[in-house]
Amino acid sequence: MGRDCRAPYSEEQSIKFDEIVQKFGSMAMDINFNLLRTFLLIAENKSFRGTSEHVHRSQSAISAQIKLLETQVGVQLFHRTTRSVHLTAAGKQLFDAAKRGMREVDAGVREVREAQALQAGHVALAATSIAAAALLPPVLARFEKLYPGVRMSVREMQAADVYASVLQGDVDFGVVPGPEGSECDFEPLLTEDICAFMPASMRETTVDHISLKELSGLPLLLLSNTTSLRTLLDQAALRARVKLTPKYECIQAQTLIAMAKTGLGVAVLPCLALPSKLPKGLRVCKISSPFLTRQVGLLTVRACKLSPTAEKLALLIRKTAVKAGSR
């Protein structure tokens, strides 16, 4: 498990840049990777002082690095005055070549790390119970086949707890209805309708939608008032000036569906909770006047990139969500 919020450069790496040196007509030699990193930073910042502050080293140490690099390549790389720092013609040539080389090195190191992570990595995610039941089983089964060496952990919890787990770094990302919270990024995956699961005998009409006003007059089976769906329903009822009084309140969607099946009342749930095969005697009506929908998506910490392993899992979830949203 992990998120990549670090600077991209490592000070412990080194690499041969024979081809770069040969561009200057010098004999091939090994150039320390750190020297080139420092050279690039100075060229980009146009400041020895700014670079020394960036890498937390003294200005004299930075100057010594550049002097050593200039000795190795046999040319002056910077025009340096008390007020400005500029690349020489040779410096510009080295800058372009080194920049390309660094990009290739970074890409190569990243590929090696990603390959290793997918062999023996760890990814953790959290999801609300409805999202977990509807999206995760086929995703996890597929992921295990593709990456058998990766250890996974899944936590099923309410939306507010998913948000807290993501923010605290306990999991790589969450799958939740949203968006929620300004400190996280929310990537919508699908939009689902809010529906009423009811005994067919409870309503004579065959119309496949029901208003909040009509719904308020029926025995209601609702999720707990600590859930995000209940908050959405209560806010919609307040705007519509109706009161939704639950006959029974539960935490799990499957409990409400089982109660509706026995004729106890109308279970109000997102259509994502709909079983692949609707229990006999139940019908589904979308809630209208107003139509109620919500988005389900991926929750990640803002400005933090997912680890390669977590990104692979997220990609499978995206593909599964597309199929689920088209049902």
Side-chain angles (χ1 to χ4, degrees):
M1 187 190 77
R3 292 189 290 258
D4 185 9
C5 300
R6 301 169 301 173
Y9 293 160
S10 169
E11 294 187 359
E12 298 179 357
Q13 296 171 297
S14 63
I15 189 173
K16 291 183 178 181
F17 272 82
D18 293 351
E19 294 182 2
I20 296 175
V21 177
Q22 289 171 351
K23 292 173 69 69
F24 291 87
S26 301
M27 63 179 182
M29 63 180 71
D30 292 345
I31 295 182
N32 186 279
F33 190 81
N34 290 334
L35 300 184
L36 286 171
R37 287 291 191 198
T38 302
F39 166 72
L40 289 174
L41 285 172
I42 295 172
E44 290 169 348
N45 295 330
K46 296 182 179 180
S47 169
F48 277 70
R49 177 181 294 179
T51 299
S52 69
E53 293 174 354
H54 180 81
V55 299
H56 306 292
R57 300 192 64 184
S58 67
Q59 192 169 339
S60 60
I62 296 300
S63 297
Q65 283 187 303
I66 296 303
K67 185 177 181 180
L68 176 58
L69 181 61
E70 289 178 332
T71 299
Q72 289 182 344
V73 299
V75 293
Q76 183 180 349
L77 299 174
F78 290 103
H79 291 302
R80 185 179 180 185
T81 68
T82 55
R83 294 185 178 182
S84 65
V85 175
H86 298 287
L87 287 169
T88 63
K92 291 178 182 178
Q93 188 178 3
L94 179 60
F95 177 82
D96 293 338
K99 194 72 173 178
R100 290 194 300 270
M102 294 301 179
R103 283 197 294 265
E104 293 179 4
V105 171
D106 288 340
V109 171
R110 185 168 57 252
E111 289 174 3
V112 170
R113 287 176 175 170
E114 290 179 0
Q116 179 61 30
L118 292 174
Q119 292 298 320
H122 175 221
V123 59
L125 69 113
T128 56
S129 57
I130 293 175
L135 298 177
L136 295 189
V139 168
L140 298 179
R142 177 62 175 164
F143 192 84
E144 283 187 0
K145 289 182 179 179
L146 292 173
Y147 312 107
V150 175
R151 182 166 58 92
M152 289 186 293
S153 58
V154 178
R155 304 179 186 183
E156 183 181 294
M157 53 184 67
Q158 295 182 14
D161 295 324
V162 173
Y163 174 79
S165 293
V166 171
L167 197 57
Q168 293 168 9
D170 296 332
V171 296
D172 291 286
F173 64 91
V175 184
V176 291
E180 181 177 355
S182 59
E183 296 176 286
C184 287
D185 287 326
F186 179 78
E187 176 191 342
L189 298 178
L190 61 88
T191 300
E192 58 178 354
D193 297 310
I194 307 303
C195 302
F197 298 75
M198 65 179 66
S201 59
M202 191 168 287
R203 194 168 182 244
E204 296 181 357
T205 178
T206 59
V207 177
D208 64 354
H209 58 269
I210 185 171
S211 68
L212 277 179
K213 183 177 181 180
E214 184 180 356
L215 195 64
S216 67
L218 299 174
L220 298 179
L221 311 173
L222 304 181
L223 289 175
S224 164
N225 59 12
T226 61
T227 62
S228 59
L229 178 62
R230 183 63 180 276
T231 299
L232 184 152
L233 283 173
D234 289 344
Q235 291 175 347
L238 184 63
R239 289 192 297 269
R241 298 183 179 181
V242 298
K243 187 175 182 180
L244 300 179
T245 303
K247 179 180 180 181
Y248 295 109
E249 292 183 47
C250 299
I251 296 176
Q252 297 296 328
Q254 294 307 314
T255 306
L256 296 184
I257 293 175
M259 286 182 170
K261 182 181 177 181
T262 62
L264 287 173
V266 180
V268 181
L269 294 165
C271 285
L272 200 61
L274 179 69
S276 56
K277 185 177 181 181
L278 193 66
K280 187 177 180 180
L282 278 186
R283 58 181 299 193
V284 180
C285 295
K286 293 181 181 180
I287 296 177
S288 61
S289 302
F291 282 102
L292 295 185
T293 63
R294 70 175 185 178
Q295 291 182 317
V296 175
L298 297 181
L299 191 73
T300 56
V301 174
R302 180 153 297 164
C304 282
K305 184 180 178 181
L306 289 177
S307 69
T309 312
E311 182 56 43
K312 293 292 185 183
L313 183 58
L315 179 60
L316 289 178
I317 293 175
R318 292 184 185 102
K319 293 179 179 178
T320 301
V322 170
K323 296 178 181 179
S326 61
R327 290 195 311 186

PDB file of all heavy atoms in Angstrom, residues 80-112:
ATOM      1  N   ARG A  80      28.684  32.830 -14.823  1.00  0.00           N
ATOM      2  CA  ARG A  80      28.215  33.153 -13.473  1.00  0.00           C
ATOM      3  C   ARG A  80      28.739  34.515 -13.038  1.00  0.00           C
ATOM      4  O   ARG A  80      29.944  34.766 -13.086  1.00  0.00           O
ATOM      5  CB  ARG A  80      28.689  32.072 -12.504  1.00  0.00           C
ATOM      6  CG  ARG A  80      28.172  32.205 -11.086  1.00  0.00           C
ATOM      7  CD  ARG A  80      28.703  31.048 -10.249  1.00  0.00           C
ATOM      8  NE  ARG A  80      28.242  31.116  -8.873  1.00  0.00           N
ATOM      9  CZ  ARG A  80      28.634  30.286  -7.913  1.00  0.00           C
ATOM     10  NH1 ARG A  80      29.519  29.330  -8.205  1.00  0.00           N
ATOM     11  NH2 ARG A  80      28.174  30.413  -6.675  1.00  0.00           N
ATOM     12  N   THR A  81      27.812  35.397 -12.657  1.00  0.00           N
ATOM     13  CA  THR A  81      28.178  36.698 -12.109  1.00  0.00           C
ATOM     14  C   THR A  81      27.533  36.815 -10.733  1.00  0.00           C
ATOM     15  O   THR A  81      26.856  35.902 -10.263  1.00  0.00           O
ATOM     16  CB  THR A  81      27.686  37.843 -13.010  1.00  0.00           C
ATOM     17  OG1 THR A  81      26.247  37.904 -12.967  1.00  0.00           O
ATOM     18  CG2 THR A  81      28.124  37.631 -14.457  1.00  0.00           C
ATOM     19  N   THR A  82      27.712  37.949 -10.108  1.00  0.00           N
ATOM     20  CA  THR A  82      27.118  38.165  -8.784  1.00  0.00           C
ATOM     21  C   THR A  82      25.605  38.297  -8.871  1.00  0.00           C
ATOM     22  O   THR A  82      24.908  38.155  -7.863  1.00  0.00           O
ATOM     23  CB  THR A  82      27.692  39.425  -8.127  1.00  0.00           C
ATOM     24  OG1 THR A  82      27.499  40.545  -9.013  1.00  0.00           O
ATOM     25  CG2 THR A  82      29.179  39.245  -7.836  1.00  0.00           C
ATOM     26  N   ARG A  83      25.097  38.578 -10.075  1.00  0.00           N
ATOM     27  CA  ARG A  83      23.658  38.825 -10.226  1.00  0.00           C
ATOM     28  C   ARG A  83      22.916  37.753 -11.025  1.00  0.00           C
ATOM     29  O   ARG A  83      21.691  37.661 -10.935  1.00  0.00           O
ATOM     30  CB  ARG A  83      23.428  40.182 -10.888  1.00  0.00           C
ATOM     31  CG  ARG A  83      23.883  41.356 -10.036  1.00  0.00           C
ATOM     32  CD  ARG A  83      23.504  42.670 -10.704  1.00  0.00           C
ATOM     33  NE  ARG A  83      23.870  43.822  -9.899  1.00  0.00           N
ATOM     34  CZ  ARG A  83      23.618  45.086 -10.237  1.00  0.00           C
ATOM     35  NH1 ARG A  83      23.009  45.333 -11.397  1.00  0.00           N
ATOM     36  NH2 ARG A  83      23.971  46.076  -9.435  1.00  0.00           N
ATOM     37  N   SER A  84      23.649  36.999 -11.830  1.00  0.00           N
ATOM     38  CA  SER A  84      22.942  36.059 -12.707  1.00  0.00           C
ATOM     39  C   SER A  84      23.755  34.803 -12.976  1.00  0.00           C
ATOM     40  O   SER A  84      24.983  34.792 -12.805  1.00  0.00           O
ATOM     41  CB  SER A  84      22.594  36.739 -14.036  1.00  0.00           C
ATOM     42  OG  SER A  84      23.775  37.065 -14.752  1.00  0.00           O
ATOM     43  N   VAL A  85      23.038  33.768 -13.388  1.00  0.00           N
ATOM     44  CA  VAL A  85      23.647  32.498 -13.773  1.00  0.00           C
ATOM     45  C   VAL A  85      23.014  32.081 -15.091  1.00  0.00           C
ATOM     46  O   VAL A  85      21.788  31.970 -15.197  1.00  0.00           O
ATOM     47  CB  VAL A  85      23.403  31.404 -12.707  1.00  0.00           C
ATOM     48  CG1 VAL A  85      23.939  30.055 -13.195  1.00  0.00           C
ATOM     49  CG2 VAL A  85      24.059  31.791 -11.389  1.00  0.00           C
ATOM     50  N   HIS A  86      23.866  31.865 -16.121  1.00  0.00           N
ATOM     51  CA  HIS A  86      23.352  31.450 -17.425  1.00  0.00           C
ATOM     52  C   HIS A  86      24.195  30.316 -17.971  1.00  0.00           C
ATOM     53  O   HIS A  86      25.391  30.207 -17.691  1.00  0.00           O
ATOM     54  CB  HIS A  86      23.374  32.626 -18.416  1.00  0.00           C
ATOM     55  CG  HIS A  86      22.507  33.774 -18.011  1.00  0.00           C
ATOM     56  ND1 HIS A  86      21.133  33.738 -18.070  1.00  0.00           N
ATOM     57  CD2 HIS A  86      22.841  35.000 -17.513  1.00  0.00           C
ATOM     58  CE1 HIS A  86      20.642  34.893 -17.644  1.00  0.00           C
ATOM     59  NE2 HIS A  86      21.660  35.681 -17.292  1.00  0.00           N
ATOM     60  N   LEU A  87      23.558  29.473 -18.763  1.00  0.00           N
ATOM     61  CA  LEU A  87      24.270  28.377 -19.397  1.00  0.00           C
ATOM     62  C   LEU A  87      25.166  28.889 -20.522  1.00  0.00           C
ATOM     63  O   LEU A  87      24.792  29.813 -21.250  1.00  0.00           O
ATOM     64  CB  LEU A  87      23.281  27.363 -19.980  1.00  0.00           C
ATOM     65  CG  LEU A  87      22.527  26.462 -18.987  1.00  0.00           C
ATOM     66  CD1 LEU A  87      21.398  25.723 -19.699  1.00  0.00           C
ATOM     67  CD2 LEU A  87      23.476  25.472 -18.312  1.00  0.00           C
ATOM     68  N   THR A  88      26.340  28.284 -20.659  1.00  0.00           N
ATOM     69  CA  THR A  88      27.165  28.538 -21.837  1.00  0.00           C
ATOM     70  C   THR A  88      26.581  27.739 -23.000  1.00  0.00           C
ATOM     71  O   THR A  88      25.631  26.961 -22.826  1.00  0.00           O
ATOM     72  CB  THR A  88      28.607  28.065 -21.585  1.00  0.00           C
ATOM     73  OG1 THR A  88      28.590  26.647 -21.373  1.00  0.00           O
ATOM     74  CG2 THR A  88      29.211  28.757 -20.377  1.00  0.00           C
ATOM     75  N   ALA A  89      27.134  27.914 -24.184  1.00  0.00           N
ATOM     76  CA  ALA A  89      26.669  27.146 -25.341  1.00  0.00           C
ATOM     77  C   ALA A  89      26.841  25.653 -25.097  1.00  0.00           C
ATOM     78  O   ALA A  89      25.955  24.838 -25.396  1.00  0.00           O
ATOM     79  CB  ALA A  89      27.421  27.572 -26.595  1.00  0.00           C
ATOM     80  N   ALA A  90      27.976  25.269 -24.528  1.00  0.00           N
ATOM     81  CA  ALA A  90      28.209  23.864 -24.199  1.00  0.00           C
ATOM     82  C   ALA A  90      27.244  23.397 -23.109  1.00  0.00           C
ATOM     83  O   ALA A  90      26.753  22.262 -23.128  1.00  0.00           O
ATOM     84  CB  ALA A  90      29.654  23.654 -23.754  1.00  0.00           C
ATOM     85  N   GLY A  91      26.972  24.308 -22.162  1.00  0.00           N
ATOM     86  CA  GLY A  91      26.039  23.975 -21.089  1.00  0.00           C
ATOM     87  C   GLY A  91      24.643  23.695 -21.608  1.00  0.00           C
ATOM     88  O   GLY A  91      23.959  22.779 -21.140  1.00  0.00           O
ATOM     89  N   LYS A  92      24.214  24.499 -22.593  1.00  0.00           N
ATOM     90  CA  LYS A  92      22.894  24.282 -23.181  1.00  0.00           C
ATOM     91  C   LYS A  92      22.817  22.923 -23.871  1.00  0.00           C
ATOM     92  O   LYS A  92      21.806  22.220 -23.802  1.00  0.00           O
ATOM     93  CB  LYS A  92      22.570  25.390 -24.171  1.00  0.00           C
ATOM     94  CG  LYS A  92      22.331  26.753 -23.518  1.00  0.00           C
ATOM     95  CD  LYS A  92      22.064  27.831 -24.571  1.00  0.00           C
ATOM     96  CE  LYS A  92      21.865  29.196 -23.911  1.00  0.00           C
ATOM     97  NZ  LYS A  92      21.652  30.271 -24.933  1.00  0.00           N
ATOM     98  N   GLN A  93      23.909  22.561 -24.551  1.00  0.00           N
ATOM     99  CA  GLN A  93      23.939  21.282 -25.241  1.00  0.00           C
ATOM    100  C   GLN A  93      23.868  20.129 -24.229  1.00  0.00           C
ATOM    101  O   GLN A  93      23.127  19.156 -24.422  1.00  0.00           O
ATOM    102  CB  GLN A  93      25.216  21.172 -26.072  1.00  0.00           C
ATOM    103  CG  GLN A  93      25.245  19.946 -26.989  1.00  0.00           C
ATOM    104  CD  GLN A  93      26.507  19.913 -27.836  1.00  0.00           C
ATOM    105  OE1 GLN A  93      27.381  20.761 -27.700  1.00  0.00           O
ATOM    106  NE2 GLN A  93      26.596  18.925 -28.713  1.00  0.00           N
ATOM    107  N   LEU A  94      24.621  20.243 -23.134  1.00  0.00           N
ATOM    108  CA  LEU A  94      24.580  19.216 -22.099  1.00  0.00           C
ATOM    109  C   LEU A  94      23.210  19.182 -21.421  1.00  0.00           C
ATOM    110  O   LEU A  94      22.683  18.111 -21.104  1.00  0.00           O
ATOM    111  CB  LEU A  94      25.670  19.455 -21.059  1.00  0.00           C
ATOM    112  CG  LEU A  94      25.710  18.451 -19.897  1.00  0.00           C
ATOM    113  CD1 LEU A  94      25.936  17.042 -20.414  1.00  0.00           C
ATOM    114  CD2 LEU A  94      26.785  18.837 -18.878  1.00  0.00           C
ATOM    115  N   PHE A  95      22.633  20.354 -21.204  1.00  0.00           N
ATOM    116  CA  PHE A  95      21.320  20.426 -20.554  1.00  0.00           C
ATOM    117  C   PHE A  95      20.280  19.643 -21.346  1.00  0.00           C
ATOM    118  O   PHE A  95      19.518  18.846 -20.781  1.00  0.00           O
ATOM    119  CB  PHE A  95      20.886  21.888 -20.408  1.00  0.00           C
ATOM    120  CG  PHE A  95      19.520  22.061 -19.811  1.00  0.00           C
ATOM    121  CD1 PHE A  95      19.331  22.014 -18.437  1.00  0.00           C
ATOM    122  CD2 PHE A  95      18.404  22.258 -20.630  1.00  0.00           C
ATOM    123  CE1 PHE A  95      18.070  22.167 -17.880  1.00  0.00           C
ATOM    124  CE2 PHE A  95      17.146  22.407 -20.081  1.00  0.00           C
ATOM    125  CZ  PHE A  95      16.973  22.363 -18.713  1.00  0.00           C
ATOM    126  N   ASP A  96      20.213  19.873 -22.662  1.00  0.00           N
ATOM    127  CA  ASP A  96      19.226  19.177 -23.500  1.00  0.00           C
ATOM    128  C   ASP A  96      19.442  17.667 -23.473  1.00  0.00           C
ATOM    129  O   ASP A  96      18.484  16.891 -23.348  1.00  0.00           O
ATOM    130  CB  ASP A  96      19.302  19.683 -24.940  1.00  0.00           C
ATOM    131  CG  ASP A  96      18.860  21.137 -25.070  1.00  0.00           C
ATOM    132  OD1 ASP A  96      18.127  21.605 -24.174  1.00  0.00           O
ATOM    133  OD2 ASP A  96      19.242  21.801 -26.054  1.00  0.00           O
ATOM    134  N   ALA A  97      20.698  17.258 -23.593  1.00  0.00           N
ATOM    135  CA  ALA A  97      20.995  15.827 -23.609  1.00  0.00           C
ATOM    136  C   ALA A  97      20.728  15.184 -22.255  1.00  0.00           C
ATOM    137  O   ALA A  97      20.152  14.090 -22.162  1.00  0.00           O
ATOM    138  CB  ALA A  97      22.453  15.603 -24.016  1.00  0.00           C
ATOM    139  N   ALA A  98      21.142  15.867 -21.179  1.00  0.00           N
ATOM    140  CA  ALA A  98      20.947  15.322 -19.837  1.00  0.00           C
ATOM    141  C   ALA A  98      19.466  15.247 -19.477  1.00  0.00           C
ATOM    142  O   ALA A  98      19.025  14.303 -18.820  1.00  0.00           O
ATOM    143  CB  ALA A  98      21.695  16.176 -18.816  1.00  0.00           C
ATOM    144  N   LYS A  99      18.710  16.246 -19.918  1.00  0.00           N
ATOM    145  CA  LYS A  99      17.275  16.258 -19.627  1.00  0.00           C
ATOM    146  C   LYS A  99      16.599  15.039 -20.247  1.00  0.00           C
ATOM    147  O   LYS A  99      15.779  14.369 -19.611  1.00  0.00           O
ATOM    148  CB  LYS A  99      16.656  17.548 -20.186  1.00  0.00           C
ATOM    149  CG  LYS A  99      15.262  17.851 -19.661  1.00  0.00           C
ATOM    150  CD  LYS A  99      15.308  18.297 -18.219  1.00  0.00           C
ATOM    151  CE  LYS A  99      13.942  18.772 -17.750  1.00  0.00           C
ATOM    152  NZ  LYS A  99      13.958  19.155 -16.329  1.00  0.00           N
ATOM    153  N   ARG A 100      16.955  14.767 -21.502  1.00  0.00           N
ATOM    154  CA  ARG A 100      16.385  13.582 -22.160  1.00  0.00           C
ATOM    155  C   ARG A 100      16.823  12.305 -21.439  1.00  0.00           C
ATOM    156  O   ARG A 100      16.033  11.384 -21.227  1.00  0.00           O
ATOM    157  CB  ARG A 100      16.825  13.534 -23.625  1.00  0.00           C
ATOM    158  CG  ARG A 100      16.196  14.602 -24.500  1.00  0.00           C
ATOM    159  CD  ARG A 100      16.416  14.286 -25.981  1.00  0.00           C
ATOM    160  NE  ARG A 100      17.852  14.226 -26.304  1.00  0.00           N
ATOM    161  CZ  ARG A 100      18.563  15.269 -26.699  1.00  0.00           C
ATOM    162  NH1 ARG A 100      17.988  16.471 -26.790  1.00  0.00           N
ATOM    163  NH2 ARG A 100      19.846  15.145 -26.999  1.00  0.00           N
ATOM    164  N   GLY A 101      18.088  12.274 -21.065  1.00  0.00           N
ATOM    165  CA  GLY A 101      18.597  11.093 -20.381  1.00  0.00           C
ATOM    166  C   GLY A 101      17.924  10.862 -19.041  1.00  0.00           C
ATOM    167  O   GLY A 101      17.586   9.731 -18.691  1.00  0.00           O
ATOM    168  N   MET A 102      17.696  11.938 -18.282  1.00  0.00           N
ATOM    169  CA  MET A 102      17.052  11.814 -16.975  1.00  0.00           C
ATOM    170  C   MET A 102      15.619  11.300 -17.099  1.00  0.00           C
ATOM    171  O   MET A 102      15.152  10.508 -16.290  1.00  0.00           O
ATOM    172  CB  MET A 102      17.051  13.165 -16.256  1.00  0.00           C
ATOM    173  CG  MET A 102      18.425  13.668 -15.868  1.00  0.00           C
ATOM    174  SD  MET A 102      19.280  12.505 -14.776  1.00  0.00           S
ATOM    175  CE  MET A 102      20.828  13.375 -14.567  1.00  0.00           C
ATOM    176  N   ARG A 103      14.928  11.783 -18.135  1.00  0.00           N
ATOM    177  CA  ARG A 103      13.555  11.312 -18.340  1.00  0.00           C
ATOM    178  C   ARG A 103      13.541   9.815 -18.599  1.00  0.00           C
ATOM    179  O   ARG A 103      12.672   9.082 -18.102  1.00  0.00           O
ATOM    180  CB  ARG A 103      12.898  12.065 -19.499  1.00  0.00           C
ATOM    181  CG  ARG A 103      12.442  13.465 -19.150  1.00  0.00           C
ATOM    182  CD  ARG A 103      11.452  13.990 -20.186  1.00  0.00           C
ATOM    183  NE  ARG A 103      12.096  14.171 -21.481  1.00  0.00           N
ATOM    184  CZ  ARG A 103      12.599  15.317 -21.910  1.00  0.00           C
ATOM    185  NH1 ARG A 103      12.559  16.389 -21.124  1.00  0.00           N
ATOM    186  NH2 ARG A 103      13.149  15.419 -23.105  1.00  0.00           N
ATOM    187  N   GLU A 104      14.518   9.344 -19.400  1.00  0.00           N
ATOM    188  CA  GLU A 104      14.591   7.923 -19.695  1.00  0.00           C
ATOM    189  C   GLU A 104      14.943   7.114 -18.446  1.00  0.00           C
ATOM    190  O   GLU A 104      14.400   6.034 -18.212  1.00  0.00           O
ATOM    191  CB  GLU A 104      15.615   7.673 -20.798  1.00  0.00           C
ATOM    192  CG  GLU A 104      15.198   8.241 -22.164  1.00  0.00           C
ATOM    193  CD  GLU A 104      16.256   7.997 -23.222  1.00  0.00           C
ATOM    194  OE1 GLU A 104      17.255   7.339 -22.909  1.00  0.00           O
ATOM    195  OE2 GLU A 104      16.058   8.477 -24.361  1.00  0.00           O
ATOM    196  N   VAL A 105      15.866   7.639 -17.640  1.00  0.00           N
ATOM    197  CA  VAL A 105      16.237   6.956 -16.396  1.00  0.00           C
ATOM    198  C   VAL A 105      15.051   6.880 -15.452  1.00  0.00           C
ATOM    199  O   VAL A 105      14.743   5.831 -14.877  1.00  0.00           O
ATOM    200  CB  VAL A 105      17.419   7.675 -15.722  1.00  0.00           C
ATOM    201  CG1 VAL A 105      17.651   7.105 -14.322  1.00  0.00           C
ATOM    202  CG2 VAL A 105      18.671   7.522 -16.556  1.00  0.00           C
ATOM    203  N   ASP A 106      14.359   8.012 -15.268  1.00  0.00           N
ATOM    204  CA  ASP A 106      13.200   8.035 -14.386  1.00  0.00           C
ATOM    205  C   ASP A 106      12.136   7.050 -14.844  1.00  0.00           C
ATOM    206  O   ASP A 106      11.523   6.343 -14.036  1.00  0.00           O
ATOM    207  CB  ASP A 106      12.606   9.447 -14.326  1.00  0.00           C
ATOM    208  CG  ASP A 106      13.489  10.409 -13.543  1.00  0.00           C
ATOM    209  OD1 ASP A 106      14.325   9.927 -12.762  1.00  0.00           O
ATOM    210  OD2 ASP A 106      13.332  11.625 -13.726  1.00  0.00           O
ATOM    211  N   ALA A 107      11.909   7.010 -16.160  1.00  0.00           N
ATOM    212  CA  ALA A 107      10.912   6.086 -16.698  1.00  0.00           C
ATOM    213  C   ALA A 107      11.326   4.641 -16.458  1.00  0.00           C
ATOM    214  O   ALA A 107      10.509   3.790 -16.094  1.00  0.00           O
ATOM    215  CB  ALA A 107      10.713   6.341 -18.192  1.00  0.00           C
ATOM    216  N   GLY A 108      12.627   4.368 -16.646  1.00  0.00           N
ATOM    217  CA  GLY A 108      13.116   3.009 -16.433  1.00  0.00           C
ATOM    218  C   GLY A 108      13.006   2.581 -14.980  1.00  0.00           C
ATOM    219  O   GLY A 108      12.577   1.460 -14.681  1.00  0.00           O
ATOM    220  N   VAL A 109      13.393   3.460 -14.062  1.00  0.00           N
ATOM    221  CA  VAL A 109      13.296   3.147 -12.638  1.00  0.00           C
ATOM    222  C   VAL A 109      11.842   2.937 -12.241  1.00  0.00           C
ATOM    223  O   VAL A 109      11.502   2.024 -11.474  1.00  0.00           O
ATOM    224  CB  VAL A 109      13.925   4.279 -11.794  1.00  0.00           C
ATOM    225  CG1 VAL A 109      13.629   4.075 -10.309  1.00  0.00           C
ATOM    226  CG2 VAL A 109      15.426   4.341 -12.027  1.00  0.00           C
ATOM    227  N   ARG A 110      10.964   3.791 -12.787  1.00  0.00           N
ATOM    228  CA  ARG A 110       9.541   3.661 -12.471  1.00  0.00           C
ATOM    229  C   ARG A 110       8.983   2.329 -12.950  1.00  0.00           C
ATOM    230  O   ARG A 110       8.207   1.666 -12.254  1.00  0.00           O
ATOM    231  CB  ARG A 110       8.769   4.823 -13.099  1.00  0.00           C
ATOM    232  CG  ARG A 110       7.290   4.845 -12.724  1.00  0.00           C
ATOM    233  CD  ARG A 110       6.629   6.156 -13.128  1.00  0.00           C
ATOM    234  NE  ARG A 110       6.768   6.433 -14.538  1.00  0.00           N
ATOM    235  CZ  ARG A 110       7.568   7.370 -15.046  1.00  0.00           C
ATOM    236  NH1 ARG A 110       8.307   8.103 -14.236  1.00  0.00           N
ATOM    237  NH2 ARG A 110       7.630   7.588 -16.349  1.00  0.00           N
ATOM    238  N   GLU A 111       9.379   1.915 -14.143  1.00  0.00           N
ATOM    239  CA  GLU A 111       8.905   0.647 -14.680  1.00  0.00           C
ATOM    240  C   GLU A 111       9.386  -0.527 -13.827  1.00  0.00           C
ATOM    241  O   GLU A 111       8.626  -1.475 -13.577  1.00  0.00           O
ATOM    242  CB  GLU A 111       9.385   0.478 -16.118  1.00  0.00           C
ATOM    243  CG  GLU A 111       8.689   1.405 -17.114  1.00  0.00           C
ATOM    244  CD  GLU A 111       9.290   1.313 -18.503  1.00  0.00           C
ATOM    245  OE1 GLU A 111      10.217   0.487 -18.687  1.00  0.00           O
ATOM    246  OE2 GLU A 111       8.837   2.040 -19.398  1.00  0.00           O
ATOM    247  N   VAL A 112      10.647  -0.472 -13.394  1.00  0.00           N
ATOM    248  CA  VAL A 112      11.170  -1.548 -12.547  1.00  0.00           C
ATOM    249  C   VAL A 112      10.418  -1.611 -11.231  1.00  0.00           C
ATOM    250  O   VAL A 112      10.035  -2.687 -10.752  1.00  0.00           O
ATOM    251  CB  VAL A 112      12.684  -1.331 -12.290  1.00  0.00           C
ATOM    252  CG1 VAL A 112      13.190  -2.294 -11.215  1.00  0.00           C
ATOM    253  CG2 VAL A 112      13.462  -1.532 -13.580  1.00  0.00           C
TER     254      VAL A 112
END
